[in-house]
Amino acid sequence: MSDARSRDFSRRQFLQQLAGAAALVTLADWRLVAGEGTAGKAAVAQPWYQRALRWGQTNLTEIDVERFDTVWWREHWRRTAVQGVVINAGGIVAYYPTSVPLHRRAAHMNGRDLFGELTAAAHADGLAVFARMDSNRADATFYQAHPDWFARDANGEPYRATGLYVACVNSPYYHEHIPAILHEVATRYRPEGFTDNNWNGPMRDQPCFCGNCEQLFRARTGAAIPRQPDWNSPLYREWIRWNYERRTEIWEQFNHATRQAGGPECLWVGMMAGSQNWQARVFRDDREIYRRTELVMLDDQRRFDPEGFQHNGEIGARIRGVGGWDKVIPESMAMYHLTEHNFRLAAKPEPEVRLWFLEGVAGGVQPWWHHVGSDQQDRRMLQTAEPLWQWHRRNEAYLVHRRPRVTVGLVWSQRNMDFFGRDDGGAHVDDPWNGWMQALIRARIPYVPVHVDDLDREVGALGLKLLILPNLGAMSDPQVAAVRRFVAAGGNLLATGLSSLSDEWGEARDDFALADVLGVHLPPRHAFRDEPVRTRWAKRWTQTYLRLHPELRAGIPGPRSGDEPEIAGERHEVLRGFEQTDILAFGGMLEPLAVEPGGVVPLTFVPAVPTSPVESVWMHEPRTDIPGLVLRENAAGGRIAYLPADLDRRFARENLPDHGDLLANLVRWTSRGDIPLKVEGAGLIHCHLYQQSAPDRLVLHLVNLTNAGTWRTPVHELIAVGPFMVSVRFATRSKPENLVSLVSGERRTFEQTGEWVKFEVTRIVDHEVFVIS
Ligand SMILES: [Zn+2]
């Protein structure tokens, strides 16, 4: 679609959203919808936090007070079409002449009020402003004035980070000092809201034993704070819960402070991270907070090799699935180099930024460029954002207010990360999750992360046909009941590993809570119930295999050893593609399971084979009846697959194509092939399919991740792929008339057969986006 047309569309939609005279509210009138306007106007216009989609941030260093070039950066705001900016206000350092005691003013201020200047400039340019705070640390002067406001370890020593003292979340630092700053900034400068880099205080591995904490915990439990982590102790679990609750309470308290001072829409939104594992370690309760907040500021700037760009394509859906599909999620995207080591003053290679941006936007986040320091000597980083942010501006109508068109839900919960993952969340939770994420993306199967406590709502809203439990070990009885309801209504289920074995605290039940649904039971004293053993299994690799049934090698050319079984029957369709082999590499460990009648076992376990000396490298125990996979169909008409073999975790670790192919086969069989997208052609393409406004409009993103740098950041150059044959299933039988590319602006031809629209994509450099209407 041409720019003119897309702008025209965007304008039309905008006008429809405003009623009559209220349409005269211009985009520059942030104040009218940010708390100071008349109630009538605010009621019909979209609030600022839904309209400000594109963001920018020049994170101030202390020296910037002397050198900040306001004229240049205002021009950069305009060039990159941002609608909001994040401006440093206070916390560790104040960038305005604060009156709050001990709130240290930035060096070299010399009477300059940089925060005030930039906020006024942004407001004059029609931009929303987030006042940026960093509420976690203070200097020695502050510490000496209020030593009891800071976190202490078990020996009574204060925690320190980057030379500063870490504030205690239960002290007047959080009750009085930060609210005083919020009040001062909100009343004096009227920012639209506040964001905070590091608001959660001490992490899980920094338990605070200060007087305030000891007293509060004793009042709650009658006991002292546990000295050592012990996940099996109810007291330690209570300490974990108490810490989460306090962070959620801080969220409420700071919002109360900012709204009281700055009006009902003066939001305090902290910052959140994209990693489940990290969020657990800093006690930020994803579900509680995403449900509460009107907007999520996502600090998720860097690519980690095991998750790749794929993670950024997923994170928006994981947040919006909990917080609401129309929620705006600006994501901080570093324009500087950020990998294992940070070069904050050097430009990140442009292709790396580009793919991170495209995956994030395709997955549902909004862009927020980020620089550290106002004077950039590597000028390249100042050129990266403009074309990307301008593309976003031209096409924004298609990038928000949409729902994923999917049939597959991948189920998650933060409590599982806490109480099942415990100290090894990477092995128990991240790896199985990443294995599924990579397998689904690789197979071009659209999926959506679903929180286990939102199953009823999301299954209905999105029309999910298959739920995958990726080693979801810790499940409460109500969560198990929600899965049962789904299955009883004819839903299909695919569970791996230890799913449903433990209760919500990670304590193993006698059997899987879903044993009857899966048709599989755990014998007494099974290793899955033994925490040290299952953790060792999860972390280790062993040279084990899975045997495919029936075995076919008697009919395939190769050496004869005389032990080839006669070919008996046909293989199950989940083993399609493996006709030339009777074994698959595995790497994990299994023990016997009791399988109920009616279950099909197409894979069995082959125990460890010595890796050396080569004289010993043969199968000492070539076959067992230990199931690696159990399939069945139930009375409700659903298909059920249980995969005790941890191939999801193994795929994340070993990246063997067989594992990815088998996982994809399982999804296709279990979902009865009910998948609304087919993409044929070579390459690693992340496909995102959405339904928008009317059921008749679909938006399809194809992001090209085929790259020499896909598994090792950063990307050096883009590599084009194609052609692809794309088939998309429409929601209704209505006839689509238009197929338009939002990248080239061209109208394309297509074929329609029944519910399927089919077209060719000849070449993709970085991405393609198609609107079918
Ligand atoms: Zn404390």
Side-chain angles (χ1 to χ4, degrees), residues 182-438:
L182 298 177
H183 186 270
E184 181 176 70
V185 172
T187 50
R188 204 186 282 179
Y189 301 100
R190 296 284 169 177
E192 276 61 36
F194 288 80
T195 182
D196 195 316
N197 180 52
N198 205 346
W199 57 278
N200 48 264
M203 296 171 57
R204 192 170 79 194
D205 61 2
Q206 297 175 309
C208 181
F209 297 94
C210 79
N212 294 315
C213 286
E214 288 285 14
Q215 192 190 349
L216 284 169
F217 193 70
R218 191 172 289 281
R220 180 184 173 108
T221 63
I225 293 170
R227 289 340 236 191
Q228 295 296 330
D230 176 4
W231 292 98
N232 292 314
S233 148
L235 198 65
Y236 184 71
R237 295 172 188 165
E238 188 60 17
W239 180 79
I240 295 282
R241 243 171 49 150
W242 176 62
N243 272 289
Y244 271 112
E245 281 175 22
R246 176 60 192 137
R247 271 60 176 192
T248 306
E249 196 177 68
I250 288 172
W251 196 280
E252 302 274 13
Q253 285 174 350
F254 286 179
N255 263 287
H256 181 73
T258 56
R259 289 171 203 243
Q260 207 171 41
E265 290 188 342
C266 185
L267 314 182
W268 184 92
V269 299
M271 276 190 207
M272 298 291 268
S275 153
Q276 288 188 51
N277 202 322
W278 178 260
Q279 291 286 91
R281 286 162 57 202
V282 294
F283 300 122
R284 296 177 191 159
D285 194 320
D286 279 346
R287 186 161 180 271
E288 288 302 320
I289 289 171
Y290 295 147
R291 277 150 41 111
R292 271 174 176 75
T293 188
E294 283 87 350
L295 174 146
V296 178
M297 291 299 269
L298 186 64
D299 183 5
D300 200 35
Q301 309 190 53
R302 84 172 70 189
R303 175 160 72 105
F304 291 95
D305 292 339
E307 300 168 340
F309 293 108
Q310 293 89 326
H311 159 85
N312 212 33
E314 181 190 85
I315 181 62
R318 190 158 67 74
I319 294 173
R320 294 189 302 148
V322 171
W325 287 103
D326 293 323
K327 198 148 281 185
V328 173
I329 310 171
E331 182 193 64
S332 180
M333 299 177 179
M335 299 293 119
Y336 55 85
H337 198 59
L338 188 66
T339 52
E340 201 59 41
H341 300 122
N342 302 340
F343 291 98
R344 292 209 191 237
L345 306 180
K348 185 186 280 192
E350 192 271 349
E352 176 75 20
V353 180
R354 176 170 282 267
L355 287 183
W356 188 253
F357 168 97
L358 293 174
E359 266 288 67
V361 167
V365 304
Q366 282 72 42
W368 157 18
W369 51 252
H370 181 217
H371 299 276
V372 175
S374 67
D375 179 46
Q376 300 298 339
Q377 298 177 33
D378 185 342
R379 306 290 212 208
R380 293 173 297 179
M381 79 165 81
L382 302 169
Q383 295 151 17
T384 308
E386 184 178 342
L388 298 171
W389 267 242
Q390 287 290 349
W391 179 84
H392 190 280
R393 179 190 59 76
R394 293 195 296 272
N395 297 293
E396 67 178 42
Y398 302 100
L399 304 176
V400 291
H401 303 306
R402 53 191 195 174
R403 304 285 181 278
R405 180 133 162 65
V406 291
T407 50
V408 177
L410 189 58
V411 183
W412 69 284
S413 97
Q414 197 169 3
R415 296 293 85 80
N416 182 58
M417 177 63 79
D418 292 321
F419 297 112
F420 183 70
R422 301 188 170 187
D423 296 322
D424 298 296
H428 288 305
V429 183
D430 285 335
D431 285 349
W433 182 275
N434 288 338
W436 274 113
M437 175 177 77
Q438 303 297 358

Side-chain angles (χ1 to χ4, degrees), residues 395-620:
N395 297 293
E396 67 178 42
Y398 302 100
L399 304 176
V400 291
H401 303 306
R402 53 191 195 174
R403 304 285 181 278
R405 180 133 162 65
V406 291
T407 50
V408 177
L410 189 58
V411 183
W412 69 284
S413 97
Q414 197 169 3
R415 296 293 85 80
N416 182 58
M417 177 63 79
D418 292 321
F419 297 112
F420 183 70
R422 301 188 170 187
D423 296 322
D424 298 296
H428 288 305
V429 183
D430 285 335
D431 285 349
W433 182 275
N434 288 338
W436 274 113
M437 175 177 77
Q438 303 297 358
L440 290 162
I441 291 169
R442 176 177 175 273
R444 291 111 179 224
I445 297 173
Y447 74 98
V448 68
V450 196
H451 194 282
V452 68
D453 290 326
D454 295 325
L455 288 186
D456 290 327
R457 187 191 67 213
E458 293 300 303
V459 162
L462 300 175
L464 300 179
K465 302 291 166 52
L466 167 64
L467 292 179
I468 301 174
L469 308 182
N471 197 38
L472 195 73
M475 293 178 73
S476 68
D477 289 342
Q479 290 167 352
V480 169
V483 173
R484 285 178 179 283
R485 280 195 292 281
F486 171 75
V487 172
N492 306 304
L493 184 69
L494 206 173
T496 71
L498 282 74
S499 293
S500 88
L501 178 60
S502 300
D503 65 13
E504 64 268 44
W505 302 110
E507 241 167 80
R509 298 178 169 103
D510 290 335
D511 198 355
F512 300 110
L514 291 168
D516 56 325
V517 174
L518 304 176
V520 173
H521 299 272
L522 213 57
R525 290 184 300 283
H526 192 282
F528 278 2
R529 301 187 69 258
D530 185 330
E531 194 191 341
V533 174
R534 73 173 184 241
T535 298
R536 198 164 64 238
W537 284 9
K539 291 165 94 168
R540 273 195 194 160
W541 169 88
T542 313
Q543 194 191 179
T544 56
Y545 293 86
L546 294 169
R547 183 166 300 285
L548 285 63
H549 300 276
E551 295 171 62
L552 303 179
R553 66 185 179 282
I556 300 169
R560 303 278 144 184
S561 61
D563 69 347
E564 300 85 2
E566 261 182 59
I567 300 173
E570 294 207 352
R571 280 200 180 159
H572 196 279
E573 64 182 272
V574 301
L575 301 183
R576 193 168 293 160
F578 302 120
E579 291 75 16
Q580 299 292 313
T581 180
D582 282 348
I583 56 164
L584 294 179
F586 174 31
M589 292 291 289
L590 289 171
E591 280 191 352
L593 295 166
V595 178
E596 285 183 12
V600 175
V601 179
L603 294 170
T604 54
F605 181 61
V606 179
V609 172
T611 50
S612 67
V614 291
E615 287 79 358
S616 303
V617 182
W618 48 279
M619 288 178 180
H620 295 250

Side-chain angles (χ1 to χ4, degrees), residues 148 150-152 168-171 202 208-214:
D148 54 332
F150 290 85
R152 293 180 182 281
C168 169
V169 292
N170 288 309
S171 76
C208 181
F209 297 94
C210 79
N212 294 315
C213 286
E214 288 285 14

